[in-house]
Amino acid sequence: MLFRLLRLIMVLMLVVSAPPTFDAAAQGVGQAPTGLVADQQKIIQGLTTKTDSFEKQTQQNGEDDSSLVDIRLQLEELSRQSLNSALAFRTRLGEINARLEQLGPAPAAGQPEEPDIVSAERQALTSEKAEINAVISQAQALSIRISGLIDKIGNMRSELFRNLLTKRYVLSDALSPQVFSDARDEFGNFYKAVSSWLSFAFKFKFQAILAATFVALGLALVLLVGGRRLFGRVFEADPTNEDPSYLSRLSVAFWSTLLPTLAVAAFLGSTIFFFNYYNVLRGDIGLFLNALATVIGVVFCVNRLTNAALEPRLPNWRLIPVETGPARWLVRLATAMAVVISVNTFLSVINDKMGSPLSLTIARSFVATIVVGIILILMAMLRPFKARDGSWRPWPAWLRYLSLGLGLFTIIAALLGYIGLALFVSLQVVVTGTALITAYIGFLSAQAIGEEGAFANTFVGRWLSANSSYDDTALDQLGLVVSIGINLLIVLVFLPLILLMWGFQPGDIQAWAYKLATGINIGSVTISVTGILSGIVVFVIGYFLTRWFQGWLDGSVMARGKVDTGVRNSIRLAVGYAGVALAALVGISAAGIDLSSLALVAGALSLGIGFGLQNVVSNFVSGLILLAERPFKVGDWIVAGDVSGTVKKISVRATEIETFQRQSVILPNSNLINNAVGNWTHRNKLGRIDIKVGVAYGSDVKQVHAVLLDIARSHPLVLKNPEPFVLFSNFGPAALEFEIRVFLADVMNGNIVQNDVRFAVLEKFSDQHIEIPSTPRAVVEAHKPKAWPTDDDKIEADFAEQEQAKVEAAAEAKKLAKSGRKLRKPDPD
């Protein structure tokens, strides 16, 4: 009755308290989600409005590649925002689905009706879910629309690039006398624009111009002079060095191109920056100045590269073994080609800004491509090498035909009217070729530095060797790091430059970098460079924190607490394994790798672990047991089968034991767990040693006992308690056998005590005339087999003599048989 009464009271309490709970739930359903839906609807409406605007801009700027790239970047951002709006409902949908599952389906016809509160809550949840699904559908539709616009922009850009390369122009109009008149008018307009800006700038912005110029010049000088002082030997050829190494030539060629070019780029870039900062530049003048800075940078870079690789003044520093005269011509031709392409690019900016006639643009590009083609043909026809007989030899066949083919292709394409294609090829020959050659020299330099012992022979390596504690091995490892760093620097610098030269816009590179950083989807796997680097950084930090905590715990806590060495080692190892495992888990999570996805891999590997790795797992578990139970510790003297020695290290797979012969024996932990192991110093170092002594029959055994006991008691390392003991152990076949048993405070001194006691026994027995018998040993004469003959020539001669005797005897017998005489028998004895 009592239990029934309690059950009834609990049911009544639940029934009474249930309605407020349902009401609160219903109120919660009706308030918070409604605000979330309204907010996301506003966001999606705003995104839709922006998408409509970008669609109109796409139609208006269909001929401008850079504008299309900017629109695509903004559309990609809108796509991410729309997806975020859809993901904002994930948590609420999970709550709704969980609550609907708890409520269950509505009762079917004929079943008892459920309470009105439950029906109202189910209806409210269902309505809210429908509203959320409608908003999610809008976000998904918007995302699909944006993706379609992005694909459309990609197709438009591809079409623009194809038109640029395949469009054919009529040369008769472009090469008419009217072009000269248009060019004269164009130059006059350009002169007026520049002169008007100069007069304005010198009247009102003269101080700002001086300040900007001097600041930019000072920055470039600091970079150049500081670089020469710090790395002068790296990018300056030494005229006194008659036989520089290949690595030195590579380094000088690469860095003498890169560092001065960066200094010039810093000067030009800072000048334009400060001009803009002080409002010195107009819109058109800013475009002209940017184009001029690009022209100067390209020409300077090409000239530096050709001079560094060919070195017309220092033949010993040339990377290419050409003669001095051809080297000068190659520098001039390459620089002239860079000047032609750069000036053409600068004039194209002027024509675009001034609104020049199309015929003038075609004529300018036609002349530039023809000149570049002629220069390429001249380079191919050059004979830069000299044979031993004094004759001049041309370039290798593949290089000669490649340069000749590019030159002829450029000229023919220009003559046929494909000016865009010819200009594109010319630009790639100059700019992309320069970038590729510089990058290739850099890769060769990095490869040479990474070779064994190469970094130690460099200027930096010699300085580190003289001013630091780095040995040759450390310098070699540092050389590998430097080699990897140079390779990464080359990729980061030259890859975007080459992509820009091939028609890609900065927005394209920005979009690729964003995708690479945020994650690339390959199937269901997302690879994120940023995530991977973050995971590696987190793991490295956790690893070093673990090592620091191990050292602090061992050196500052346990050492000061006088903790036993074995206990300290076990705790240090346990902390190390736990810290590294925790750092690995945190690093994997920081890298964005779902640990639950590893469950399938672990399940697949379990079968292999069960068969192929069972010994490894057994040793690992045994190592954990050894660290936990501590049947022995570091420093203990143990005996495991035939191995006896001191424990040096206990790891999770094996234990290192050092024998008394200083031999390191690595025993698997499973052997130490499954087999008997003797530990002389398990609880303490107290131990007993036994020394056997034999005396001759007829000796006074009482005297022998007293002498041996006195020797044992007199040794300083023998303990008084337990007291030494001498045992008359046996009547041996040749002696009366005694055994000295003594206890030592440190059983590791057993060999010392045994040695001292035996010397004392011999001395005392000699004084007391006690004889120690020795068993005589039988002398066994070894039977020596007959030696194998070694004179092969003598054996062959004896054999030949016997054969000759047999032949002569047979001939004598045959002769006697023909004469009819019989052989005379010998007389009997």
Side-chain angles (χ1 to χ4, degrees):
M1 288 295 294
L2 180 62
F3 289 107
R4 291 181 180 179
L5 182 59
L6 292 175
R7 185 183 304 171
L8 180 60
I9 293 173
M10 293 178 63
V11 171
L12 290 174
M13 291 177 63
L14 291 173
V15 171
V16 171
S17 61
T21 304
F22 288 144
D23 291 340
Q27 292 175 3
V29 168
Q31 293 177 0
T34 302
L36 179 62
V37 170
D39 293 340
Q40 295 303 322
Q41 283 179 342
K42 291 180 180 179
I43 293 175
I44 293 175
Q45 289 176 359
L47 295 178
T48 304
T49 304
K50 291 181 180 179
T51 303
D52 296 338
S53 174
F54 288 137
E55 187 174 7
K56 293 179 180 178
Q57 293 180 18
T58 302
Q59 297 174 357
Q60 296 174 357
N61 301 315
E63 299 296 328
D64 189 354
D65 186 69
S66 60
S67 299
L68 292 177
V69 172
D70 294 336
I71 295 172
R72 191 196 69 180
L73 290 177
Q74 299 181 49
L75 287 174
E76 289 179 350
E77 180 63 26
L78 293 182
S79 178
R80 288 190 287 270
Q81 293 178 8
S82 64
L83 292 178
N84 291 334
S85 297
L87 294 176
F89 296 103
R90 176 182 296 177
T91 303
R92 183 56 188 164
L93 280 177
E95 295 175 355
I96 293 174
N97 292 329
R99 184 58 182 161
L100 289 175
E101 187 177 355
Q102 291 177 358
L103 296 176
Q111 294 183 351
E113 294 184 357
E114 61 184 0
D116 295 338
I117 297 176
V118 177
S119 300
E121 183 180 2
R122 182 185 294 108
Q123 184 178 2
L125 290 174
T126 305
S127 300
E128 181 185 351
K129 184 176 180 180
E131 293 178 359
I132 292 176
N133 288 332
V135 177
I136 292 176
S137 299
Q138 294 177 4
Q140 291 177 347
L142 180 60
S143 178
I144 293 173
R145 179 188 174 190
I146 293 174
S147 299
L149 286 176
I150 293 174
D151 295 338
K152 180 181 178 180
I153 289 175
N155 295 331
M156 294 174 65
R157 293 185 62 206
S158 299
E159 185 66 24
L160 286 176
F161 186 71
R162 285 194 296 269
N163 290 336
L164 176 66
L165 298 183
T166 59
K167 188 174 182 179
R168 186 176 181 182
Y169 297 93
V170 179
L171 298 180
S172 58
D173 297 336
L175 301 179
S176 63
Q178 182 64 29
V179 173
F180 297 98
S181 177
D182 294 337
R184 186 170 55 254
D185 296 339
E186 183 78 12
F187 178 77
N189 295 331
F190 175 72
Y191 177 78
K192 290 179 181 179
V194 173
S195 60
S196 64
W197 172 77
L198 287 176
S199 62
F200 164 78
F202 279 102
K203 286 181 180 180
F204 302 101
K205 298 289 185 177
F206 182 72
Q207 294 180 353
I209 292 176
L210 287 180
T213 304
F214 280 116
V215 170
L217 186 61
L219 179 62
L221 288 176
V222 168
L223 182 61
L224 188 60
V225 176
R228 287 186 178 276
R229 286 186 174 274
L230 292 176
F231 308 103
R233 297 187 181 181
V234 176
F235 64 89
E236 287 185 353
D238 186 6
T240 61
N241 191 351
E242 297 181 357
D243 188 19
S245 63
Y246 183 66
L247 175 59
S248 299
R249 286 182 286 160
L250 282 173
S251 300
V252 167
F254 178 70
W255 294 109
S256 64
T257 300
L258 185 62
L259 293 179
T261 303
L262 290 178
V264 172
F267 168 71
L268 297 174
S270 58
T271 301
I272 296 174
F273 172 79
F274 286 116
F275 276 10
N276 287 321
Y277 180 79
Y278 290 114
N279 296 321
V280 175
L281 299 177
R282 287 191 327 225
D284 55 346
I285 301 300
L287 292 177
F288 299 156
L289 194 59
N290 287 327
L292 183 61
T294 304
V295 168
I296 295 174
V298 170
V299 173
F300 182 82
C301 181
V302 172
N303 183 262
R304 288 297 304 177
L305 176 63
T306 53
N307 275 287
L310 298 174
E311 279 292 350
R313 296 172 300 172
L314 301 173
N316 296 331
W317 287 88
R318 289 174 192 161
L319 289 177
I320 305 174
V322 298
E323 297 298 323
T324 302
R328 291 195 180 97
W329 274 108
L330 286 172
V331 172
R332 294 167 185 168
L333 291 175
T335 306
M337 188 162 51
V339 169
V340 170
I341 291 297
S342 299
V343 170
N344 179 72
T345 304
F346 178 69
L347 293 178
S348 68
V349 174
I350 296 176
N351 293 339
D352 293 339
K353 189 62 180 177
M354 295 293 179
S356 303
L358 180 62
S359 58
L360 184 61
T361 302
I362 296 174
R364 168 184 49 79
S365 301
F366 176 79
V367 173
T369 53
I370 293 295
V371 172
V372 170
I374 293 173
I375 292 175
L376 288 173
I377 294 175
L378 292 176
M379 286 184 174
M381 302 302 294
L382 195 65
R383 296 176 177 269
F385 306 107
K386 182 178 288 187
R388 294 182 178 179
D389 57 358
S391 61
W392 292 92
R393 293 187 297 109
W395 294 104
W398 67 271
L399 183 59
R400 183 171 70 256
Y401 291 136
L402 177 63
S403 179
L404 187 62
L406 288 174
L408 291 175
F409 178 82
T410 303
I411 294 175
I412 293 173
L415 292 176
L416 293 177
Y418 295 100
I419 304 298
L421 178 60
L423 189 61
F424 179 79
V425 173
S426 302
L427 183 64
Q428 302 315 313
V429 167
V430 176
V431 182
T432 305
T434 302
L436 288 177
I437 293 173
T438 307
Y440 181 67
I441 293 174
F443 284 130
L444 292 179
S445 178
Q447 181 180 359
I449 290 176
E451 293 181 355
E452 185 175 0
F455 184 73
N457 295 324
T458 62
F459 169 73
V460 179
R462 289 192 296 267
W463 183 86
L464 288 175
S465 179
N467 297 277
S468 65
S469 59
Y470 289 113
D471 56 3
D472 292 340
T473 303
L475 289 175
D476 188 57
Q477 298 297 322
L478 185 60
L480 292 176
V481 175
V482 173
S483 175
I484 296 174
I486 293 175
N487 287 326
L488 291 176
L489 176 64
I490 293 169
V491 172
L492 293 177
V493 171
F494 289 97
L495 182 59
L497 180 61
I498 293 174
L499 292 177
L500 291 175
M501 291 303 104
W502 278 83
F504 296 96
Q505 298 293 333
D508 296 322
I509 301 175
Q510 180 182 350
W512 294 339
Y514 181 82
K515 290 181 179 179
L516 188 63
T518 56
I520 301 174
N521 295 324
I522 302 177
S524 60
V525 180
T526 301
I527 300 175
S528 173
V529 176
T530 304
I532 293 174
L533 293 177
S534 300
I536 293 174
V537 170
V538 169
F539 173 75
V540 170
I541 293 174
Y543 175 81
F544 283 107
L545 285 177
T546 300
R547 294 304 182 204
W548 171 82
F549 182 74
Q550 275 184 294
W552 175 80
L553 184 65
D554 184 40
S556 300
V557 178
M558 293 188 291
R560 293 170 61 178
K562 307 300 181 184
V563 181
D564 183 74
T565 305
V567 178
R568 289 168 56 184
N569 179 72
S570 299
I571 295 176
R572 185 173 63 251
L573 288 176
V575 170
Y577 291 133
V580 171
L582 181 62
L585 291 175
V586 175
I588 292 174
S589 300
I593 300 175
D594 188 5
L595 294 178
S596 61
S597 62
L598 299 178
L600 180 62
V601 179
L605 291 177
S606 60
L607 183 62
I609 291 175
F611 287 97
L613 301 178
Q614 56 182 347
N615 291 333
V616 176
V617 176
S618 175
N619 290 326
F620 179 79
V621 175
S622 300
L624 297 179
I625 294 173
L626 290 177
L627 292 174
E629 292 186 354
R630 297 180 59 250
F632 53 83
K633 56 187 180 298
V634 174
D636 282 357
W637 174 15
I638 67 172
V639 179
D642 297 333
V643 179
S644 176
T646 306
V647 178
K648 288 297 182 182
K649 182 181 179 182
I650 303 174
S651 61
V652 292
R653 190 198 68 83
T655 298
E656 179 184 350
I657 300 174
E658 184 179 77
T659 65
F660 297 106
Q661 292 82 19
R662 301 301 181 188
Q663 179 189 22
S664 294
V665 180
I666 309 300
L667 287 180
N669 289 329
S670 58
N671 292 354
L672 300 175
I673 290 293
N674 299 327
N675 300 325
V677 178
N679 190 347
W680 284 91
T681 57
H682 181 47
R683 292 182 178 86
N684 51 55
K685 294 185 178 182
L686 178 66
R688 193 190 79 181
I689 61 172
D690 302 334
I691 306 170
K692 295 181 179 181
V693 180
V695 299
Y697 277 92
S699 301
D700 186 353
V701 293
K702 297 291 185 179
Q703 181 186 8
V704 172
H705 181 274
V707 170
L708 294 178
L709 190 59
D710 181 65
I711 292 173
R713 289 174 175 172
S714 61
H715 198 283
L717 297 179
V718 174
L719 296 178
K720 307 300 180 183
N721 186 22
E723 188 179 2
F725 179 73
V726 177
L727 175 66
F728 187 1
S729 60
N730 191 22
F731 294 96
L736 301 172
E737 298 176 357
F738 289 82
E739 188 173 308
I740 304 173
R741 297 177 178 178
V742 295
F743 287 88
L744 306 178
D746 188 355
V747 74
M748 304 296 290
N749 296 326
N751 290 332
I752 299 175
V753 175
Q754 288 179 359
N755 194 51
D756 294 343
V757 169
R758 289 191 178 101
F759 276 112
V761 166
L762 288 176
E763 185 178 355
K764 291 290 185 180
F765 279 11
S766 178
D767 294 341
Q768 300 292 333
H769 303 289
I770 299 173
E771 182 182 355
I772 299 177
S774 60
T775 304
R777 301 181 180 274
V779 179
V780 181
E781 294 182 0
H783 176 70
K784 296 183 179 180
K786 186 176 180 181
W788 186 265
T790 58
D791 193 352
D792 295 338
D793 295 338
K794 185 175 183 304
I795 294 173
E796 293 178 0
D798 292 342
F799 179 76
E801 185 178 352
Q802 292 176 4
E803 291 295 324
Q804 183 66 25
K806 289 180 181 179
V807 172
E808 291 178 356
E812 184 67 22
K814 188 176 182 180
K815 182 178 180 181
L816 293 175
K818 287 183 179 180
S819 62
R821 298 186 332 184
K822 296 182 179 179
L823 292 173
R824 182 179 179 182
K825 296 181 179 181
D827 295 334
D829 295 335

PDB file of all heavy atoms in Angstrom, residues 144 164 178 278 355 459 529 545 553 562 615 620 648 699 710 735-736 739:
ATOM      1  N   ILE A 144      22.873  28.849 -55.847  1.00  0.00           N
ATOM      2  CA  ILE A 144      22.918  28.255 -57.192  1.00  0.00           C
ATOM      3  C   ILE A 144      22.962  29.350 -58.256  1.00  0.00           C
ATOM      4  O   ILE A 144      23.692  29.258 -59.253  1.00  0.00           O
ATOM      5  CB  ILE A 144      21.698  27.330 -57.394  1.00  0.00           C
ATOM      6  CG1 ILE A 144      21.815  26.112 -56.457  1.00  0.00           C
ATOM      7  CG2 ILE A 144      21.607  26.877 -58.843  1.00  0.00           C
ATOM      8  CD1 ILE A 144      20.588  25.235 -56.469  1.00  0.00           C
ATOM      9  N   LEU A 164      41.374  37.747 -78.019  1.00  0.00           N
ATOM     10  CA  LEU A 164      42.644  38.476 -78.041  1.00  0.00           C
ATOM     11  C   LEU A 164      43.681  37.758 -78.891  1.00  0.00           C
ATOM     12  O   LEU A 164      44.454  38.398 -79.626  1.00  0.00           O
ATOM     13  CB  LEU A 164      43.166  38.649 -76.607  1.00  0.00           C
ATOM     14  CG  LEU A 164      44.544  39.302 -76.460  1.00  0.00           C
ATOM     15  CD1 LEU A 164      44.511  40.747 -76.920  1.00  0.00           C
ATOM     16  CD2 LEU A 164      45.030  39.218 -75.016  1.00  0.00           C
ATOM     17  N   GLN A 178      48.417  57.799 -92.518  1.00  0.00           N
ATOM     18  CA  GLN A 178      47.629  58.457 -91.492  1.00  0.00           C
ATOM     19  C   GLN A 178      48.114  58.118 -90.084  1.00  0.00           C
ATOM     20  O   GLN A 178      47.913  58.872 -89.138  1.00  0.00           O
ATOM     21  CB  GLN A 178      46.153  58.043 -91.650  1.00  0.00           C
ATOM     22  CG  GLN A 178      45.203  58.702 -90.661  1.00  0.00           C
ATOM     23  CD  GLN A 178      45.125  60.207 -90.837  1.00  0.00           C
ATOM     24  OE1 GLN A 178      45.324  60.714 -91.963  1.00  0.00           O
ATOM     25  NE2 GLN A 178      44.863  60.937 -89.759  1.00  0.00           N
ATOM     26  N   TYR A 278      50.525  62.110 -50.727  1.00  0.00           N
ATOM     27  CA  TYR A 278      50.533  63.571 -50.689  1.00  0.00           C
ATOM     28  C   TYR A 278      49.646  64.188 -51.775  1.00  0.00           C
ATOM     29  O   TYR A 278      49.711  65.408 -51.996  1.00  0.00           O
ATOM     30  CB  TYR A 278      51.957  64.095 -50.845  1.00  0.00           C
ATOM     31  CG  TYR A 278      52.842  63.828 -49.654  1.00  0.00           C
ATOM     32  CD1 TYR A 278      53.926  62.965 -49.759  1.00  0.00           C
ATOM     33  CD2 TYR A 278      52.586  64.425 -48.424  1.00  0.00           C
ATOM     34  CE1 TYR A 278      54.742  62.708 -48.659  1.00  0.00           C
ATOM     35  CE2 TYR A 278      53.395  64.174 -47.331  1.00  0.00           C
ATOM     36  CZ  TYR A 278      54.470  63.311 -47.447  1.00  0.00           C
ATOM     37  OH  TYR A 278      55.262  63.066 -46.365  1.00  0.00           O
ATOM     38  N   GLY A 355      42.542  57.492 -75.660  1.00  0.00           N
ATOM     39  CA  GLY A 355      41.529  57.163 -76.653  1.00  0.00           C
ATOM     40  C   GLY A 355      42.053  57.202 -78.063  1.00  0.00           C
ATOM     41  O   GLY A 355      41.418  57.771 -78.970  1.00  0.00           O
ATOM     42  N   PHE A 459      79.956  31.651 -47.495  1.00  0.00           N
ATOM     43  CA  PHE A 459      80.368  32.725 -46.604  1.00  0.00           C
ATOM     44  C   PHE A 459      79.598  32.666 -45.280  1.00  0.00           C
ATOM     45  O   PHE A 459      80.187  32.801 -44.193  1.00  0.00           O
ATOM     46  CB  PHE A 459      80.138  34.070 -47.306  1.00  0.00           C
ATOM     47  CG  PHE A 459      80.278  35.256 -46.389  1.00  0.00           C
ATOM     48  CD1 PHE A 459      81.528  35.662 -45.940  1.00  0.00           C
ATOM     49  CD2 PHE A 459      79.159  35.952 -45.964  1.00  0.00           C
ATOM     50  CE1 PHE A 459      81.656  36.742 -45.093  1.00  0.00           C
ATOM     51  CE2 PHE A 459      79.281  37.039 -45.119  1.00  0.00           C
ATOM     52  CZ  PHE A 459      80.544  37.429 -44.678  1.00  0.00           C
ATOM     53  N   VAL A 529      45.385  24.020 -46.276  1.00  0.00           N
ATOM     54  CA  VAL A 529      46.790  24.291 -45.977  1.00  0.00           C
ATOM     55  C   VAL A 529      46.913  25.027 -44.652  1.00  0.00           C
ATOM     56  O   VAL A 529      47.774  24.721 -43.817  1.00  0.00           O
ATOM     57  CB  VAL A 529      47.433  25.097 -47.113  1.00  0.00           C
ATOM     58  CG1 VAL A 529      48.860  25.480 -46.771  1.00  0.00           C
ATOM     59  CG2 VAL A 529      47.401  24.305 -48.410  1.00  0.00           C
ATOM     60  N   LEU A 545      56.288  22.088 -25.039  1.00  0.00           N
ATOM     61  CA  LEU A 545      55.759  22.285 -23.687  1.00  0.00           C
ATOM     62  C   LEU A 545      55.865  21.009 -22.868  1.00  0.00           C
ATOM     63  O   LEU A 545      56.179  21.046 -21.667  1.00  0.00           O
ATOM     64  CB  LEU A 545      54.301  22.753 -23.771  1.00  0.00           C
ATOM     65  CG  LEU A 545      54.059  24.209 -24.179  1.00  0.00           C
ATOM     66  CD1 LEU A 545      52.574  24.485 -24.275  1.00  0.00           C
ATOM     67  CD2 LEU A 545      54.723  25.164 -23.192  1.00  0.00           C
ATOM     68  N   LEU A 553      59.625  18.995 -14.079  1.00  0.00           N
ATOM     69  CA  LEU A 553      59.138  18.029 -13.092  1.00  0.00           C
ATOM     70  C   LEU A 553      60.267  17.147 -12.580  1.00  0.00           C
ATOM     71  O   LEU A 553      60.348  16.857 -11.371  1.00  0.00           O
ATOM     72  CB  LEU A 553      58.037  17.172 -13.724  1.00  0.00           C
ATOM     73  CG  LEU A 553      57.344  16.165 -12.812  1.00  0.00           C
ATOM     74  CD1 LEU A 553      56.579  16.870 -11.707  1.00  0.00           C
ATOM     75  CD2 LEU A 553      56.396  15.280 -13.632  1.00  0.00           C
ATOM     76  N   LYS A 562      64.001  14.210  -3.523  1.00  0.00           N
ATOM     77  CA  LYS A 562      64.780  12.997  -3.300  1.00  0.00           C
ATOM     78  C   LYS A 562      64.011  11.754  -3.744  1.00  0.00           C
ATOM     79  O   LYS A 562      64.048  10.699  -3.096  1.00  0.00           O
ATOM     80  CB  LYS A 562      65.165  12.856  -1.813  1.00  0.00           C
ATOM     81  CG  LYS A 562      65.860  14.073  -1.219  1.00  0.00           C
ATOM     82  CD  LYS A 562      67.162  14.402  -1.924  1.00  0.00           C
ATOM     83  CE  LYS A 562      67.847  15.618  -1.287  1.00  0.00           C
ATOM     84  NZ  LYS A 562      69.079  16.008  -2.018  1.00  0.00           N
ATOM     85  N   ASN A 615      53.099  -8.911 -31.951  1.00  0.00           N
ATOM     86  CA  ASN A 615      54.286  -8.803 -31.096  1.00  0.00           C
ATOM     87  C   ASN A 615      54.548  -7.362 -30.673  1.00  0.00           C
ATOM     88  O   ASN A 615      54.923  -7.105 -29.527  1.00  0.00           O
ATOM     89  CB  ASN A 615      55.502  -9.353 -31.847  1.00  0.00           C
ATOM     90  CG  ASN A 615      55.431 -10.855 -32.033  1.00  0.00           C
ATOM     91  OD1 ASN A 615      54.800 -11.547 -31.234  1.00  0.00           O
ATOM     92  ND2 ASN A 615      56.050 -11.362 -33.084  1.00  0.00           N
ATOM     93  N   PHE A 620      54.269  -3.387 -26.415  1.00  0.00           N
ATOM     94  CA  PHE A 620      53.788  -2.084 -25.967  1.00  0.00           C
ATOM     95  C   PHE A 620      53.012  -2.205 -24.661  1.00  0.00           C
ATOM     96  O   PHE A 620      53.244  -1.457 -23.700  1.00  0.00           O
ATOM     97  CB  PHE A 620      52.908  -1.475 -27.057  1.00  0.00           C
ATOM     98  CG  PHE A 620      52.329  -0.137 -26.701  1.00  0.00           C
ATOM     99  CD1 PHE A 620      53.089   1.005 -26.788  1.00  0.00           C
ATOM    100  CD2 PHE A 620      51.017  -0.030 -26.269  1.00  0.00           C
ATOM    101  CE1 PHE A 620      52.564   2.244 -26.456  1.00  0.00           C
ATOM    102  CE2 PHE A 620      50.483   1.187 -25.930  1.00  0.00           C
ATOM    103  CZ  PHE A 620      51.258   2.327 -26.028  1.00  0.00           C
ATOM    104  N   LYS A 648      69.294   0.364 -18.049  1.00  0.00           N
ATOM    105  CA  LYS A 648      69.631   1.716 -18.453  1.00  0.00           C
ATOM    106  C   LYS A 648      68.418   2.518 -18.916  1.00  0.00           C
ATOM    107  O   LYS A 648      68.339   3.731 -18.689  1.00  0.00           O
ATOM    108  CB  LYS A 648      70.668   1.680 -19.590  1.00  0.00           C
ATOM    109  CG  LYS A 648      72.048   1.254 -19.148  1.00  0.00           C
ATOM    110  CD  LYS A 648      72.620   2.258 -18.151  1.00  0.00           C
ATOM    111  CE  LYS A 648      74.022   1.876 -17.719  1.00  0.00           C
ATOM    112  NZ  LYS A 648      74.552   2.822 -16.714  1.00  0.00           N
ATOM    113  N   SER A 699      93.860 -31.717   6.232  1.00  0.00           N
ATOM    114  CA  SER A 699      94.008 -30.393   6.854  1.00  0.00           C
ATOM    115  C   SER A 699      93.137 -30.311   8.100  1.00  0.00           C
ATOM    116  O   SER A 699      92.138 -31.036   8.248  1.00  0.00           O
ATOM    117  CB  SER A 699      93.601 -29.294   5.863  1.00  0.00           C
ATOM    118  OG  SER A 699      94.393 -29.345   4.686  1.00  0.00           O
ATOM    119  N   ASP A 710      87.692 -15.475  10.037  1.00  0.00           N
ATOM    120  CA  ASP A 710      88.430 -14.257  10.371  1.00  0.00           C
ATOM    121  C   ASP A 710      88.633 -13.372   9.141  1.00  0.00           C
ATOM    122  O   ASP A 710      88.529 -12.143   9.221  1.00  0.00           O
ATOM    123  CB  ASP A 710      89.774 -14.645  10.975  1.00  0.00           C
ATOM    124  CG  ASP A 710      90.582 -13.410  11.378  1.00  0.00           C
ATOM    125  OD1 ASP A 710      90.144 -12.687  12.288  1.00  0.00           O
ATOM    126  OD2 ASP A 710      91.628 -13.181  10.734  1.00  0.00           O
ATOM    127  N   ALA A 735      89.025 -32.605  -2.628  1.00  0.00           N
ATOM    128  CA  ALA A 735      89.276 -31.583  -1.610  1.00  0.00           C
ATOM    129  C   ALA A 735      88.101 -31.524  -0.646  1.00  0.00           C
ATOM    130  O   ALA A 735      86.995 -32.010  -0.934  1.00  0.00           O
ATOM    131  CB  ALA A 735      89.476 -30.220  -2.268  1.00  0.00           C
ATOM    132  N   LEU A 736      88.391 -30.926   0.517  1.00  0.00           N
ATOM    133  CA  LEU A 736      87.343 -30.596   1.479  1.00  0.00           C
ATOM    134  C   LEU A 736      86.805 -29.211   1.110  1.00  0.00           C
ATOM    135  O   LEU A 736      87.556 -28.237   1.063  1.00  0.00           O
ATOM    136  CB  LEU A 736      87.897 -30.591   2.901  1.00  0.00           C
ATOM    137  CG  LEU A 736      88.528 -31.917   3.383  1.00  0.00           C
ATOM    138  CD1 LEU A 736      89.209 -31.709   4.733  1.00  0.00           C
ATOM    139  CD2 LEU A 736      87.484 -33.014   3.486  1.00  0.00           C
ATOM    140  N   GLU A 739      82.547 -22.910   2.048  1.00  0.00           N
ATOM    141  CA  GLU A 739      81.853 -21.819   1.363  1.00  0.00           C
ATOM    142  C   GLU A 739      81.725 -20.638   2.315  1.00  0.00           C
ATOM    143  O   GLU A 739      81.166 -20.771   3.409  1.00  0.00           O
ATOM    144  CB  GLU A 739      80.469 -22.272   0.898  1.00  0.00           C
ATOM    145  CG  GLU A 739      79.761 -21.270   0.005  1.00  0.00           C
ATOM    146  CD  GLU A 739      78.468 -21.825  -0.568  1.00  0.00           C
ATOM    147  OE1 GLU A 739      78.490 -22.938  -1.151  1.00  0.00           O
ATOM    148  OE2 GLU A 739      77.434 -21.136  -0.415  1.00  0.00           O
TER     149      GLU A 739
END
